[in-house]
Amino acid sequence: MKILSICHSSRARSSLPHFIVFFLTCYVHKMESAQFTVVGPGHPVTATLGGDIALPCRLSPSISAEHMEVRWFRSEITPFVHLYQHKQDEYVQQMPEYRGRTKLLKAGITEGIVDLRIINVRHSDKGLYRCSVQDGDFHEESVLELEVAALGSAPRISVEGHQDGGIRVVCQSAGWYPQPQVLWRDPKGQPLSASTETKSEEEGGFFQIKNSIVVTENSNKNLSCSMRNTHLDKERESVTFYISDSFFPRASPWMVGWSVTLMILLSFICLAWFLFRVRGKHLDTIRKIRTELEWRRSQCDAANVTLDPDTAHPQLVLSEDGKRVRWEDTWQLLPYTPERFDIRPCVLGREGFTSGRHYWEVEAGDGKYWAVGVATEFVSRKGEISLSPKVGIWAVQRCAEQFQALTAPVTPLPLSPPSRIRVCLDCDRWQVTFIDAGAEASIFTFPMGSLPGERIRPWLWVGPELLSLYP
């Protein structure tokens, strides 16, 4: 028994160093795998309303995050803004307002760069974002702030009448976000003191500003007005405005009032005459446009367009007849082929056209996120493609309340987004025209010869809605 006891103790003493070495090796390995920090920009990031923005985030030191979990979120972890785990993007519990608008930029993920792109920035996107990276049980995160801004129209100066022995001059502009700074200047660039300012919020959250100043006969009668967006560090300035001495009172204030009234009356008379002339020309223009649209439609063949499932993004579900398509959260298990769009939720039509005139219609209903148009046979389908003629796409797009032609840069359209669009493809002129099928009104026409002389196919970008093709 004594010998057995000695042998047992000797074996325990010999195994103890091995256990300590094993424990320290595991602990050091764990510490090494967890030694990183998540670094943000350290200052607010500014995005232009309606544009795209990349929110920067990286690991320090620059180690690969390919096998880690990357979670972008606002105030709560779930639902999230964007989630990357198990080497793929997850969308099941994504915040509804970010669906179809986020993408983790993976080009630098092996170097620890995990930037997040947000597409079509909205007012509601502003605020704090958290970039969280987890490796096993260890995680770090960084906080950054996103500011949203929009540059408004050029300020316009006008005279609004007599006030306090001088002339009240008003500076107006619209389309700003957030509220801009207003500054009056004399010809030497020195600031002048404004008297009153009013602001109002337009549809979409933009600001309209009206700022006034009283100019007296003894003050400088040359002045200009500028409005500045401090987030974008940009400003717009009016032309220099000059007030004639004849506008200022001499003997009594009523003379100035009479002069201003007479000026306004004459302005109204001139405006009425101008509107009468414009109205006549406008009616003639409308008649010509309607005649041209009817002629174009009579010269075009109705194309029986169906959608090609081999090109559809995995989140797009097509009907059996290929006439309808909708967007879903769940990704379908589909073959990863060169023909399929893999990032943008797009789909091409089966049919292609190289000659003749053809038209088809797309029913969008009340959908707020969609794009309709045509694309070349060899349009890029992999990665983050820009939607413009530069890559072979000619289309119009609705993004919330914004309606625009996808030129480079985009062209805002004055019409309200229609529920049904007619696409007219003229392969003889190599151009495409978009028409409001309900009102029979022209929306936008790309210039003649802007399309290349090759096979052209119908193209759709689908948000969280249902699109249908006719006939």
Side-chain angles (χ1 to χ4, degrees):
M1 293 296 293
K2 185 176 180 181
I3 295 174
L4 290 176
S5 176
I6 291 173
C7 292
H8 180 271
S9 300
S10 176
R11 183 180 301 171
R13 284 194 299 269
S14 63
S15 62
L16 180 60
H18 294 287
F19 174 76
I20 294 175
V21 170
F22 174 77
F23 175 79
L24 290 176
T25 302
C26 295
Y27 180 78
V28 170
H29 175 74
K30 182 177 180 181
M31 289 297 292
E32 288 178 350
S33 66
Q35 286 185 1
F36 66 83
T37 57
V38 180
V39 181
H43 57 79
V45 177
T46 302
T48 303
L49 194 66
D52 298 353
I53 186 66
L55 305 183
C57 183
R58 62 180 179 85
L59 303 184
S60 179
S62 301
I63 60 176
S64 175
E66 189 175 11
H67 298 279
M68 301 182 188
E69 177 188 289
V70 180
R71 183 186 297 263
W72 283 87
F73 61 98
R74 300 294 296 267
S75 58
E76 300 179 357
I77 295 179
T78 303
F80 49 78
V81 175
H82 194 96
L83 176 62
Y84 169 87
Q85 61 180 183
H86 308 307
K87 300 183 67 175
Q88 65 180 7
D89 299 301
E90 301 288 346
Y91 297 95
V92 176
Q93 293 183 307
Q94 187 180 33
M95 298 173 70
E97 57 267 35
Y98 290 96
R99 288 175 182 170
R101 297 198 304 119
T102 62
K103 178 179 182 290
L104 189 72
L105 303 181
K106 303 184 184 68
I109 196 169
T110 57
E111 299 175 0
I113 300 174
V114 289
D115 296 354
L116 179 72
R117 181 179 297 279
I118 300 179
I119 303 168
N120 292 325
V121 175
R122 308 173 185 172
H123 292 98
S124 58
D125 293 339
K126 66 178 181 179
L128 297 180
Y129 288 77
R130 297 179 183 273
C131 173
S132 173
V133 181
Q134 183 168 345
D135 183 16
D137 295 331
F138 179 81
H139 85 278
E140 286 284 324
E141 67 179 47
S142 176
V143 181
L144 64 87
E145 182 179 4
L146 175 63
E147 296 179 344
V148 178
L151 201 62
S153 60
R156 179 174 54 88
I157 297 180
S158 60
V159 174
E160 286 205 351
H162 174 266
Q163 179 180 328
D164 300 331
I167 301 298
R168 184 168 180 258
V169 183
V170 175
C171 178
Q172 300 182 73
S173 181
W176 294 86
Y177 189 86
Q179 182 181 345
Q181 292 180 347
V182 183
L183 183 64
W184 292 90
R185 294 188 178 95
D186 64 17
K188 296 181 179 180
Q190 297 300 314
L192 304 173
S193 299
S195 58
T196 60
E197 178 176 299
T198 59
K199 63 179 179 180
S200 61
E201 193 167 340
E202 303 173 300
E203 183 178 356
F206 296 97
F207 284 101
Q208 180 175 347
I209 305 298
K210 184 177 181 180
N211 191 285
S212 66
I213 188 173
V214 176
V215 180
T216 62
E217 189 173 9
N218 296 326
S219 63
N220 201 311
K221 296 185 282 294
N222 282 295
L223 70 164
S224 63
C225 169
S226 65
M227 296 195 183
R228 183 177 186 81
N229 188 313
T230 55
H231 288 181
L232 296 176
D233 195 24
K234 294 182 179 179
E235 71 175 39
R236 292 191 184 277
E237 187 174 5
S238 70
V239 297
T240 302
F241 191 79
Y242 174 74
I243 302 177
S244 173
D245 291 338
S246 60
F247 285 101
F248 292 94
R250 288 292 186 269
S252 58
W254 72 267
M255 288 295 294
V256 174
W258 182 85
S259 300
V260 173
T261 303
L262 181 60
M263 181 191 69
I264 294 174
L265 181 60
L266 290 174
S267 298
F268 272 116
I269 293 173
C270 294
L271 179 62
W273 177 81
F274 174 76
L275 291 177
F276 176 77
R277 292 290 302 276
V278 169
R279 182 176 180 273
K281 293 181 180 179
H282 183 63
L283 292 175
D284 290 340
T285 303
I286 291 176
R287 283 193 290 268
K288 290 180 181 178
I289 290 175
R290 287 188 179 277
T291 302
E292 182 181 356
L293 292 178
E294 292 174 0
W295 179 84
R296 285 191 180 184
R297 187 172 184 181
S298 65
Q299 299 295 316
C300 294
D301 298 325
N304 185 20
V305 174
T306 56
L307 300 175
D308 185 354
D310 293 336
T311 67
H313 184 273
Q315 285 181 282
L316 299 184
V317 179
L318 276 60
S319 62
E320 291 185 4
D321 60 359
K323 288 289 188 178
R324 292 178 300 279
V325 58
R326 72 177 186 274
W327 182 92
E328 288 192 351
D329 285 342
T330 306
W331 286 54
Q332 304 174 83
L333 296 177
L334 299 173
Y336 186 84
T337 61
E339 293 81 13
R340 191 177 307 283
F341 290 94
D342 65 346
I343 297 298
R344 291 274 191 178
C346 303
V347 61
L348 292 175
R350 288 181 182 271
E351 296 72 22
F353 307 98
T354 57
S355 62
R357 299 185 180 97
H358 313 272
Y359 81 88
W360 60 92
E361 295 182 358
V362 181
E363 179 72 46
D366 296 329
K368 292 190 175 182
Y369 298 95
W370 49 260
V372 174
V374 297
T376 61
E377 176 74 21
F378 302 104
V379 64
S380 178
R381 306 173 197 185
K382 302 301 180 185
E384 186 64 38
I385 60 174
S386 62
L387 307 183
S388 73
K390 292 182 178 180
V391 298
I393 295 174
W394 295 262
V396 294
Q397 170 183 272
R398 177 175 184 179
C399 184
E401 300 308 318
Q402 297 185 34
F403 190 40
Q404 50 199 202
L406 295 179
T407 52
V410 297
T411 301
L413 299 175
L415 302 176
S416 299
S419 60
R420 187 163 179 158
I421 292 183
R422 182 180 306 135
V423 183
C424 298
L425 174 64
D426 189 342
C427 293
D428 298 332
R429 298 184 178 183
W430 293 112
Q431 69 178 161
V432 61
T433 298
F434 299 92
I435 298 170
D436 183 341
E440 291 293 337
S442 178
I443 298 174
F444 186 80
T445 299
F446 283 87
M448 184 171 62
S450 58
L451 275 66
E454 59 186 73
R455 192 167 183 252
I456 302 298
R457 298 171 67 176
W459 172 90
L460 296 175
W461 174 81
V462 186
E465 32 249 338
L466 172 70
L467 298 184
S468 303
L469 294 173
Y470 297 90

